[in-house]
Amino acid sequence: MKNTIVVGAQWGDEGKGKLVDVLAEQSDLVVRFNGGGNAGHTVMHAGETYKFHYMPSGMLHNKVCILGTGVVINPKDLLEEIDSFTSSGHKPQLKISARAHVIFPHHQLIDAKGGGKIGTTGRGIGPTYSQKASRINLRMLDLIADDAVDRIKTALKDVRDMLIMDEIFNEEEFASYCEAVSTEYAGFGDQFKPFITDTEDLVRIASKSEEQVLFEGAQGTLLDLNYGTYPFVTSSSTLAAAAFVGGGAIPGVPIRILGITKAYTTRVGEGPFPTELEGDAAVNLREAGHEYGATTGRPRRVGHLDLYALRYAIRISGIQELAMTKIDTLALVDGVKACIGYKIDGNEIDYFPADAPTLELVEPIYKDIPNITSLSKEEWLTLQGKAKTDLPDSIQSYIKFIEDFVEIPITILSHGPERNETIVF
Ligand code: IMP
């Protein structure tokens, strides 16, 4: 298959970073198409742990990596990430879309004020996308313009006139904010000049040639602005379709759509989570899987695998195959179940509720799953290159059960954070 889109099939944190790192080896171009510093990818390689918030995980393969038009960028944070990557001996081959929108400090201040009830990451994501939609925000191309300082000052005044910035800055504070930020951000622009380009054209040219493009989604399908558990969602589209809008993928070029799911479910922030575990069972699974947010360090909410939600995500994102991560973690806990349906008022339903309060009320229908066989790292590694039928029975039947329910195959199984802890069927 020519190009690949990788998306999360749950509420984020499915292990996309690791999988993209693995798949990037066979790709020529890696393109991120949504989100911003709210994402947190952890990639382990050769004993080193790399944490990326912006840079696509393909950076470690020295591939050309793109931050597409759909990404929102905090220039200061991205420069820090580039610096730390460079100082660890790597040479980032990074290209940034001139059309990508800029996150300013006031976006983070607005997020801090209003993001609490959603439990946002506080990175200014929602305010940046909403000001983009209101057509009063600036793009990376503005920061590298000769008149960047003037553009920034004008944009900030527009924002102040149109929005409730009074609640954030008084007249005097705003004047000094405007002065400081316009100079600082124009300075960032100078540093970004070598990276900013028409990335859509790079993707187009690669797509027309023999090159393989890997599109890397951030967050997960159930956090999608349109189809997720609104309003407890992020502010961008997280579906595979977003790769066309935010990454420059071209309709008509053959594309493989790979969804990533954990062997169980996690969620960070507020919002409905029908299969959420409480008490000791939650603590055990959280500790077994080190389930703490890569961006905020918050403990993740954990629960049983919700196959009903997963099947919905697969259908709306057009996912064709699954990679399942953290099977090794699931093997460390007892009482494994999978949710195969929802009931409301005792009646089974046949749709995924669009209304968050309704989703809060559903009663999951569970199937008990025999405990998953726990293997040592060495035992797992002996299964490299083997078929599904060579796996221990409990793992085989868990995979088969999931495949039958969601009606697509699991083609990759990840059993640890390292690149080589991955079985491709
Ligand atoms: P925002 O994207 O910071 O506005 O946060 C909106 C919601 O999406 C919150 O519930 C966040 O916890 C969640 N979220 C955003 N990015 C990620 C991610 O990369 N992984 C998991 N959850 C995320």
Side-chain angles (χ1 to χ4, degrees):
M1 192 58 74
K2 178 100 175 60
N3 292 345
T4 302
I5 302 175
V6 173
V7 286
Q10 298 171 305
W11 279 288
D13 306 319
E14 299 91 350
K16 296 177 292 294
K18 175 196 155 161
L19 264 301
V20 168
D21 172 64
V22 170
L23 296 171
E25 196 165 9
Q26 291 112 43
S27 310
D28 300 288
L29 209 57
V30 183
V31 185
R32 236 191 97 174
F33 55 83
N34 75 300
N38 49 350
H41 298 307
T42 307
V43 182
M44 284 179 73
H45 177 57
E48 298 279 331
T49 302
Y50 299 86
K51 285 202 166 147
F52 298 134
H53 293 288
Y54 282 99
M55 299 201 294
S57 316
M59 297 302 284
L60 286 170
H61 287 282
N62 207 22
K63 300 290 164 124
V64 177
C65 290
I66 287 178
L67 295 180
T69 301
V71 176
V72 289
I73 296 172
N74 178 324
K76 192 173 180 183
D77 290 350
L78 176 54
L79 281 173
E80 276 173 20
E81 208 170 293
I82 295 172
D83 279 354
S84 107
F85 193 65
T86 310
S87 55
S88 63
H90 298 276
K91 193 172 178 301
Q93 293 215 54
L94 183 66
K95 298 287 170 201
I96 301 169
S97 169
R99 297 179 174 89
H101 274 251
V102 179
I103 303 177
F104 285 93
H106 63 267
H107 295 132
Q108 279 172 275
L109 293 170
I110 297 170
D111 200 8
K113 230 172 159 330
K117 61 180 191 297
I118 305 295
T120 70
T121 58
R123 298 296 176 108
I125 305 300
T128 307
Y129 279 116
S130 60
Q131 291 182 13
K132 170 183 177 178
S134 299
R135 291 150 298 173
I136 52 171
N137 199 45
L138 291 183
R139 297 177 291 171
M140 292 304 281
L141 64 86
D142 294 300
L143 299 192
I144 60 170
D146 290 342
D147 59 346
V149 171
D150 291 340
R151 289 188 189 205
I152 297 167
K153 284 184 177 169
T154 307
L156 293 184
K157 288 206 180 72
D158 286 348
V159 172
R160 183 173 160 84
D161 289 347
M162 280 183 69
L163 299 173
I164 46 160
M165 289 268 273
D166 290 350
E167 288 182 21
I168 288 168
F169 300 117
N170 64 31
E171 197 74 39
E172 209 177 301
E173 286 166 343
F174 178 72
S176 58
Y177 173 72
C178 200
E179 215 44 60
V181 166
S182 54
T183 312
E184 186 185 24
Y185 272 56
F188 290 149
D190 288 338
Q191 297 181 64
F192 275 117
K193 270 186 188 144
F195 298 109
I196 294 178
T197 187
D198 188 347
T199 54
E200 295 68 42
D201 216 37
L202 296 180
V203 176
R204 183 184 61 78
I205 292 165
S207 299
K208 288 200 153 181
S209 72
E210 289 305 303
E211 293 193 350
Q212 303 222 3
V213 187
L214 178 61
F215 295 92
E216 171 181 352
Q219 292 82 46
T221 300
L222 299 172
L223 287 173
D224 180 78
L225 180 61
N226 294 294
Y227 297 96
T229 50
Y230 190 91
F232 302 99
V233 292
T234 191
S235 299
S236 66
S237 178
T238 59
L239 307 186
F244 295 88
V245 181
I250 297 174
V253 175
I255 283 187
R256 165 194 188 198
I257 302 179
L258 177 72
I260 319 291
T261 178
K262 276 181 184 154
Y264 48 95
T265 312
T266 63
R267 172 162 206 169
V268 200
E270 304 304 317
F273 184 172
T275 62
E276 183 167 15
L277 285 164
E278 306 285 348
D280 287 349
V283 173
N284 291 343
L285 184 52
R286 181 178 304 117
E287 295 310 316
H290 312 292
E291 295 294 353
Y292 292 87
T295 300
T296 58
R298 290 180 286 180
R300 293 185 184 133
R301 300 159 66 193
V302 297
H304 297 296
L305 181 62
D306 188 341
L307 285 178
Y308 194 70
L310 180 63
R311 190 170 64 186
Y312 166 74
I314 287 168
R315 289 176 178 171
I316 56 165
S317 215
I319 293 168
Q320 300 157 336
E321 52 185 287
L322 283 175
M324 187 161 74
T325 60
K326 292 209 155 178
I327 188 73
D328 54 316
T329 297
L330 196 63
L332 300 176
V333 297
D334 293 327
V336 180
K337 291 175 196 278
C339 168
I340 53 170
Y342 291 163
K343 279 185 186 171
I344 295 178
D345 295 331
N347 299 314
E348 192 168 346
I349 58 171
D350 61 359
Y351 58 93
F352 187 78
D355 180 44
T358 305
L359 193 54
E360 292 279 7
L361 291 178
V362 301
E363 185 197 331
I365 303 168
Y366 284 118
K367 177 175 165 49
D368 289 325
I369 304 287
N371 281 350
I372 304 294
T373 312
S374 182
L375 301 178
S376 67
K377 186 170 171 164
E378 290 66 35
E379 286 169 325
W380 270 115
L381 290 176
T382 62
L383 295 170
Q384 298 289 331
K386 298 271 171 68
K388 282 179 197 161
T389 45
D390 297 319
L391 298 174
D393 287 349
S394 64
I395 301 173
Q396 262 187 64
S397 51
Y398 193 47
I399 289 180
K400 171 93 174 54
F401 177 68
I402 295 169
E403 291 179 330
D404 287 347
F405 189 87
V406 299
E407 298 173 324
I408 58 168
I410 293 175
T411 53
I412 301 177
L413 190 63
S414 164
H415 53 85
E418 293 274 351
R419 219 177 249 176
N420 66 348
E421 294 176 296
T422 313
I423 306 172
V424 180
F425 301 115

